[in-house]
Amino acid sequence: MSDQAVRNLENSAAEAQRPGPACAVQTFNLTRAFGRLVAVDGISLSIKKGELFALLGPNGAGKTTVISLLCCLLKPTGGTAYVLGHDITKEPYEVKKLIGVSPQETTLSERLNPLENLELIARLHDLPKAKAHQWSCLLLETMGLSERARDQVRNFSGGMKRRLSLAMALIADPQILILDEPSLGLDPQARRAVWEYIEHLKGEKTILLTTHYMEEADYLSDRVGIIDQGRIVSLGSPSELKTRLLDTHTILVKGWNLTQNVIASLQQRYQGVKLEGNTLTVSDRHLDLHELIEQLRRDGASVRSAYFKESTLEDVFIKITGKELRA
């Protein structure tokens, strides 16, 4: 091959790896190995500006490694990624100026109060003292922590610490927000409060979210990437994934006289039939609610209620990975 041909190939490869102007984050064959263990295996994906992108996967799938690479805490062993046009391998300091991170394990100074925690992070980002104080007070008010602004963080509940961690990720007004398990371990009320604030940020910030809560990803995300064994195995909006990947429908029936004869009759026609208590679950690729009710009545059962079970992201996740997504 001639020198000119080699240069043409190199230029074509460089052109293919040029980040698009509408992308906030773009990875090209991003790879990270630890010895023989390949934690991230050639991931190529794009996250649009203003998008909330949820990265889902079982424990050990590579989510934390992807985040560490994008935050420039680890160097890739292959490929690269761009954050708002900056290469993570060549411009790590520029990348770090653009991102705010709320890690899974909160990194709060327990003996400082919330105001001191926020002002400390603000000063590390070179915010002027007056602006750091102004932003800190504004974020504490937004997070509902103003009344506890001078109490030591060690006396805070888990939900309050989570909200403070989110405020610390926002203190430098980053363009990209990385949230690693933002509502892990919170009670339902505190979790809902965190969700509402994250939803408020959608469109204003580009958000990369990891979570073990399927309903969180379904409720918040514009798109979902499912990662397993270091690779992206499925990608799309929650509704797209549920429509595309779930070809089996389920009807739940509550009633009486759901005898073994009734069950046997249904099993001759439908793929999945299961009775628990007085609730009958019927699954098949093609289901007609009225036909099922008529058959049950012909077989002597009494139907109190019948309805289609709504498909969930957890159904999608289990179908793809064969695993439940739990912390």
Side-chain angles (χ1 to χ4, degrees):
M1 184 180 291
S2 67
D3 291 343
Q4 183 60 46
V6 171
R7 283 194 294 271
N8 289 341
L9 283 175
E10 290 174 345
N11 290 336
S12 297
E15 184 70 26
Q17 289 195 356
R18 185 169 297 173
C23 293
V25 177
Q26 202 161 4
T27 71
F28 297 94
N29 198 33
L30 187 64
T31 304
R32 174 67 196 199
F34 299 92
R36 294 183 178 180
L37 174 65
V38 181
V40 175
D41 191 4
I43 287 178
S44 297
L45 62 82
S46 301
I47 301 174
K48 300 173 185 176
K49 292 178 181 177
E51 183 177 36
L52 195 153
F53 185 91
L55 187 62
L56 308 180
N59 289 329
K63 301 187 300 296
T64 300
T65 305
V66 170
I67 286 177
S68 297
L69 289 166
L70 294 178
C71 293
C72 305
L73 299 177
L74 288 174
K75 290 185 177 181
T77 50
T80 192
Y82 290 86
V83 176
L84 290 173
H86 296 283
D87 190 326
I88 62 171
T89 62
K90 299 175 181 178
E91 304 170 280
Y93 293 107
E94 293 303 315
V95 170
K96 290 177 182 179
K97 292 177 184 177
L98 298 169
I99 62 176
V101 184
S102 179
Q104 181 176 338
E105 299 294 333
T106 56
T107 55
L108 309 175
S109 297
E110 296 274 327
R111 294 189 178 276
L112 299 181
N113 63 44
L115 190 60
E116 291 168 336
N117 268 281
L118 285 168
E119 289 182 343
L120 172 63
I121 299 300
R123 297 295 288 144
L124 289 174
H125 281 277
D126 291 328
L127 268 69
K129 188 174 181 180
K131 187 174 182 180
H133 181 77
Q134 179 185 6
W135 270 91
S136 298
C137 291
L138 178 62
L139 281 168
L140 288 176
E141 183 177 353
T142 301
M143 296 294 175
L145 296 172
S146 294
E147 294 183 1
R148 303 291 298 276
R150 301 195 181 276
D151 293 346
Q152 287 189 338
V153 171
R154 62 178 178 170
N155 298 318
F156 279 16
S157 67
M160 294 170 69
K161 289 180 179 179
R162 236 345 133 178
R163 282 181 279 151
L164 179 57
S165 179
L166 185 55
M168 290 169 69
L170 290 165
I171 188 65
D173 194 22
Q175 296 182 54
I176 296 176
L177 190 60
I178 298 177
L179 306 177
D180 192 8
E181 305 285 355
S183 61
L184 183 65
L186 300 184
D187 62 63
Q189 185 177 5
R191 187 181 306 146
R192 180 64 62 173
V194 170
W195 290 5
E196 287 176 356
Y197 189 71
I198 293 173
E199 188 177 27
H200 172 72
L201 293 171
K202 285 179 64 173
E204 180 183 340
K205 307 284 184 189
T206 302
I207 303 174
L208 173 58
L209 168 78
T210 74
T211 180
H212 274 92
Y213 297 111
M214 289 287 94
E215 66 272 24
E216 182 167 270
D218 208 345
Y219 178 77
L220 291 173
S221 60
D222 297 309
R223 281 194 306 148
V224 171
I226 296 178
I227 182 172
D228 195 21
Q229 298 181 349
R231 297 180 179 181
I232 299 293
V233 293
S234 195
L235 186 67
S237 71
S239 60
E240 286 172 348
L241 292 180
K242 286 181 280 189
T243 301
R244 187 170 75 235
L245 297 172
L246 296 176
D247 55 3
T248 300
H249 306 285
T250 300
I251 291 177
L252 299 179
V253 179
K254 293 183 182 293
W256 301 274
N257 298 326
L258 299 171
T259 64
Q260 288 302 316
N261 289 336
V262 171
I263 302 302
S265 175
L266 293 174
Q267 288 173 337
Q268 293 176 9
R269 181 170 182 180
Y270 300 107
Q271 291 177 355
V273 179
K274 183 173 63 175
L275 179 64
E276 293 181 347
N278 66 341
T279 300
L280 179 68
T281 303
V282 180
S283 301
D284 203 279
R285 296 188 66 178
H286 304 287
L287 277 178
D288 184 285
L289 184 63
H290 298 292
E291 286 182 5
L292 176 60
I293 292 173
E294 285 303 315
Q295 180 174 348
L296 285 166
R297 287 173 175 166
R298 285 195 304 269
D299 292 337
S302 299
V303 177
R304 188 179 72 189
S305 65
Y307 55 92
F308 277 97
K309 177 189 174 186
E310 184 178 355
S311 299
T312 67
L313 268 183
E314 185 152 11
D315 297 327
V316 172
F317 187 86
I318 292 173
K319 181 178 176 64
I320 292 172
T321 68
K323 305 163 189 173
E324 290 188 358
L325 186 57
R326 287 291 179 264

